[in-house]
Amino acid sequence: MKVIPRRRAAVYTVTDAPKPMSEDISYRQRRYLISMGIRTGCFVGAVLSAMLGAPLWLVVLLVVGALFLPYISVIFANGGREPQPTARFTDESTNRKPISGHGPEIGS
């Protein structure tokens, strides 16, 4: 008679669940708004630096930032959900040392 080894039952934990969609969307919106704030800073900086006679390379760098940040921001915002690390639980019962000595007495 052939003995078939039993499989362990799959154990699912709450930590295996992905973040709620609303939390993921709010994270992507926040990241997009920060990027658009940086873009606005680049645009205002380009205008002010051009008016104040800053070096041309600085003005060009700020203009390039103001032009390309929206494209990059939209790509990252629409990129999909962020990958989530999964929790790893191990059975530590085999690695434990036996308790030696007397245990505490109840009521003493």
Side-chain angles (χ1 to χ4, degrees):
M1 183 185 240
K2 186 175 182 180
V3 178
I4 300 173
R6 291 186 174 204
R7 291 189 203 173
R8 289 184 134 183
V11 177
Y12 298 100
T13 62
V14 174
T15 55
D16 288 339
K19 282 188 205 177
M21 184 63 81
S22 60
E23 190 176 315
D24 184 60
I25 289 172
S26 67
Y27 169 75
R28 289 190 282 156
Q29 285 175 339
R30 189 172 39 253
R31 192 170 58 183
Y32 180 78
L33 289 174
I34 289 170
S35 179
M36 287 296 102
I38 293 170
R39 184 232 183 176
T40 303
C42 284
F43 181 75
V44 171
V47 170
L48 290 176
S49 63
M51 287 174 39
L52 297 175
L56 184 62
W57 64 267
L58 179 62
V59 176
V60 170
L61 181 68
L62 291 171
V63 168
V64 167
L67 288 175
F68 288 106
L69 269 175
Y71 175 74
I72 294 168
S73 300
V74 168
I75 296 296
F76 282 120
N78 294 333
R81 297 189 78 164
E82 296 290 322
Q84 299 297 318
T86 57
R88 301 284 184 225
F89 295 103
T90 58
D91 184 18
E92 295 180 2
S93 62
T94 58
N95 297 334
R96 294 184 182 169
K97 295 179 181 177
I99 298 174
S100 62
H102 297 289
E105 293 183 24
I106 298 176
S108 57

